[in-house]
Amino acid sequence: MQNLFGPGSEWETPWMQRVLPLVVQLAGVFPDRTIFTRFIPAQRPQDAPGMWREYYERWSSVTQDVLPTGMLELLEPLQRFVPPATVIDKMVYSPWLHPALDDHLYSRGIDTLVISGAETDVCVLAAVLGAVDRGYRVVIPTDAICSGSDRTHDALLTLYNERFSQQIETASTDEILRSWH
C-alpha cells in the first residue's frame, strides 16, 4: 500500500484505491498492532543479486536512482498510523527473509495475523505463505487485498479457500471488524 503501486505509477495497481478505505479501517482499530511492510527496490539494477538484477534491468524506471521522491512511502491515508504502527522494509516480495518481522511478532506474543494490501499474487502471497510456514493463524480480508490481475487475484482466493483452508481463513473486512468488538 505504497505510492509505488498507487495512481500514476508504472506499477499502478488498479484496485488499490478501492481497497484502501478498508485497509485504513483495519489499521485504525489497532494502530499499535499494525505492521506495514514496504517493498524497497534496488538502488540500481547492478546492485541487485541474481535474477533480481535482470528484473531491475527490465524495470529500471522503478529503481531508487530513478524514482521520484516519495514513491516508497505508504499511501497518504495510512501514514497517519505511523507511529504507533511499525514499518518494516523489505527488498524482496517476502517480509520473512529479514528477521525483523518475526522478531517483532515473537516479542509481542502475536499468534494471529490479518494480512491485507497489495498485491494478492505477489507480496501478499509471499507474506501469507511465510506466515503459514511459521505456524501463525492467518486471516485474509478478501475485500482488502488487490492485484494488478483479476485472474490471478481470483485464483489465489480459490487456492486459499480450497487448498489452505486448514491454515488460512478468509473473511470480509466487516466480519473481521465485528469479531474485534
Side-chain angles (χ1 to χ4, degrees), residues 19-174:
V19 304
L20 180 59
L22 300 171
V23 174
V24 168
Q25 283 184 330
L26 290 166
V29 174
F30 299 112
D32 58 319
R33 295 190 219 170
T34 297
I35 301 169
F36 296 107
T37 58
R38 292 189 311 171
F39 182 75
I40 307 296
Q43 191 71 38
R44 55 192 160 276
Q46 59 269 31
D47 293 344
M51 291 303 294
W52 282 103
R53 177 176 295 185
E54 188 173 314
Y55 181 84
Y56 286 117
E57 286 170 356
R58 158 63 181 94
W59 293 104
S60 61
S61 61
V62 295
T63 57
Q64 291 182 56
D65 276 353
V66 180
L67 281 173
T69 302
M71 291 300 284
L72 300 180
E73 299 306 318
L74 297 173
L75 293 170
E76 188 280 319
L78 298 172
Q79 292 176 15
R80 71 175 183 249
F81 298 117
V82 180
T86 301
V87 176
I88 296 176
D89 291 340
K90 58 194 182 83
M91 303 284 292
V92 294
Y93 302 139
S94 175
W96 302 102
L97 294 184
H98 189 283
L101 180 58
D102 247 345
D103 293 348
H104 181 87
L105 296 169
Y106 182 77
S107 70
R108 287 159 180 79
I110 305 296
D111 63 0
T112 300
L113 304 179
V114 176
I115 299 176
S116 64
E119 290 198 41
T120 307
D121 45 353
V122 186
C123 293
V124 171
L125 172 62
V128 166
L129 291 180
V132 167
D133 286 344
R134 284 162 177 76
Y136 289 101
R137 176 182 177 214
V138 176
V139 181
I140 300 172
T142 56
D143 53 355
I145 57 174
C146 60
S147 175
S149 167
D150 292 351
R151 191 170 50 94
T152 55
H153 170 87
D154 293 345
L156 261 291
L157 289 177
T158 300
L159 179 73
Y160 294 150
N161 287 313
E162 292 181 10
R163 281 296 279 187
F164 292 104
S165 61
Q166 291 270 201
Q167 297 162 305
I168 299 170
E169 299 169 52
T170 60
S172 71
T173 297
D174 282 343

